[in-house]
Amino acid sequence: MQASYHRPGLVARDHVFHVPLDHGDPGAGEIEVFGREVVAPGKQDQELPWLLFLQGGPGGKAERPLSTSAWLGRALQDYRVLLLDQRGTGRSTPAGRITLAGIAPKQQAEHLSLFRADSIVRDAELVREQLTGGAPWSVLGQSFGGFCALTYLSHAPHGLRQVLITGGIPTLTGHADDVYRAAYPRVLAKNDAYYGRYPADAEIARRVVEHLASHEVPLPSGDRLTPERFQTLGIQFGQAARFDALHYLLEEAFVAGPTGPELSDTFLRGVDAVVSFAERPLYAVLHEAIYCQHTASEWSAHRVRAEFAEFDLAGASRVNFTGEMIYPWFFEQDPALVPLKDAADLLAGKDDWPALYDLDRLAANDVPVAAAVYHDDMFVDRDHALESAERVRGARVWVTNEYEHDGLKAGSAVLDRLLAMNRGEA
C-alpha cells in the first residue's frame, strides 16, 4: 500500500493484493490484483462504508478518475470506493501475448480459463477481508461488472451489503447462441438509427469497403485494415454520442492521393483505436466464455451470424456494422491476438466450464439488489435481463430509455436512483 495522493475532488491510495492464480489449487502460484481506493477530501480518516466498483468487459480495467464527475462524485458522498482492476487488467498481473509467450497453447488456455467472473469474485472476497476486516461491502457492477455481481450473489452473498447493477444482467441459463440471436437484431436496429441520422454516411461506408477490398491499407500499427475489421466499428453504437463519433470519423475518411482517393491518416488512426485489442486482449479471448456453463461456445457469434444475411458485405446494398461480437478471424488479423489463436480455439471448444450462477441461492436472496435495465441497450438484451431479474428474490428493476449502455457516466442520476431504490425511496 502506498501513501495517499490528491487530485481535485478526491484523495486516492493504491493497493496491491496477492491472490492465488487458481483458487482451487493454491500450489499454482500467485498473481497481483490492483485496486485504487478513492475517498472525498476531508473524509480520509472517517469510518465510511466501502463500495467496490466492478468495470465492464471482460478484460476492462477500472476507470482512471480524472475528476469526481458523474457517478463517482455521487458515490464519494457516502462511500469509500475501491476501483478494482480485475485480474489480468490494468495494473493487476497482466494476461496477454507477451506474458503468455513461450508456453504451449494448451497451457495458455488453462491459464486464461481462470480469468472469469468466478475467479474475480474470489479475488474480491480476499480483498474485502483485508480492507474491511470481514465486514460486508456494497458492489456496483457496470455491464460485465453486473455479471460478476450476480456471480458474487451466487457464491459469496455473505460478503455483500447491497448490489447495484447498471446495464449488466445476463441470461442465467441461456447458451451463448441465445445471446447472439438476440444481439444481431438489436445491432441492426442501431444501424437503422445511425443511417437515419446520417444518411449520407451509407455511401461513404460503401466506398471505404470497396477501397479496402481492392487495396492493401495498413493501419498506423502496421497491420492491415480489412473490410471486415472496418465493419466492427459498430461496437461504438451502444454508447451515448458514438453515432456522432463514427460520423465524424467517416467524414474525414478520404483525401486526395497522387493516384486517386486514399484513406486519411486521421481516419486510420481513429479506426485503429477502436479495432485493436492490444489494450484489452481478455475481451476478445474470454468474451464468449463469460456465457458458458457446462457448454462450449464454439465461436457462437461467428456461427449465428450466418442466420443474418444483412451483415454480409458481398453485394450488400448497405454496410451494416457489427456490434459486440468476437470472430475467430480476429486472431488472424490483430497482431495482439495472433499469438493467442490456438489458445482461443481451445477455449471456444471447452465444454466443462463451471457454473457461474446458483439459481437456488439467487431465489433465496436477501441482499438488497437494484438494477438499471436500459430499454434499448445494444450490449445486454432487455428481455434476458428482465427474465433473469425475476429469478433474484427481492431485486428491484428500473427500466429506462433515457440512457444508452454507458448511462452510469452520464451524471449522478443513475446511481442516485439505484441507491434510493435500495432504500425503498424509489
Side-chain angles (χ1 to χ4, degrees), residues 393-415:
R393 179 175 176 267
R396 299 174 175 86
V397 177
W398 168 41
V399 181
T400 175
N401 64 357
E402 298 177 69
Y403 304 98
E404 290 290 345
H405 187 70
D406 58 348
L408 188 64
K409 295 182 178 180
S412 63
V414 171
L415 179 55

Side-chain angles (χ1 to χ4, degrees), residues 270-348:
V271 170
D272 195 23
V274 179
V275 303
S276 173
F277 287 92
E279 295 183 0
R280 46 182 184 145
L282 288 180
Y283 184 94
V285 173
L286 293 178
H287 203 274
E288 294 192 352
I290 67 175
Y291 299 107
C292 294
Q293 302 181 90
H294 310 298
T295 59
S297 73
E298 298 289 358
W299 295 113
S300 178
H302 180 68
R303 289 185 295 98
V304 172
R305 176 172 170 163
E307 302 172 15
F308 296 91
E310 298 93 335
F311 292 94
D312 293 345
L313 287 176
S317 59
R318 185 182 85 176
V319 175
N320 284 316
F321 294 94
T322 56
E324 193 178 35
M325 291 87 179
I326 300 298
Y327 301 110
W329 54 260
F330 283 11
F331 294 84
E332 300 170 352
Q333 297 189 17
D334 189 330
L337 299 180
V338 169
L340 302 174
K341 179 183 184 304
D342 290 340
D345 283 333
L346 290 171
L347 290 171

Side-chain angles (χ1 to χ4, degrees), residues 72-137:
L72 184 58
R74 172 62 187 88
L76 293 181
Q77 294 177 21
D78 302 317
Y79 296 97
R80 187 180 300 272
V81 176
L82 184 70
L83 302 171
L84 187 72
D85 282 353
Q86 297 161 25
R87 56 168 49 204
T89 73
R91 287 178 58 186
S92 297
T93 301
R97 66 177 180 89
I98 296 174
T99 62
L100 297 178
I103 65 174
K106 183 176 185 295
Q107 282 68 49
Q108 289 180 342
E110 290 173 352
H111 183 92
L112 291 165
S113 70
L114 301 171
F115 286 73
R116 296 201 311 160
D118 44 2
S119 295
I120 292 168
V121 166
R122 291 182 174 94
D123 293 344
E125 273 296 274
L126 293 177
V127 170
R128 180 182 66 84
E129 290 287 342
Q130 293 186 48
L131 291 183
T132 75
W137 57 7

Side-chain angles (χ1 to χ4, degrees), residues 344-360:
D345 283 333
L346 290 171
L347 290 171
K350 181 178 171 64
D351 61 5
D352 60 349
W353 295 103
L356 293 167
Y357 311 110
D358 184 327
L359 299 184
D360 291 336

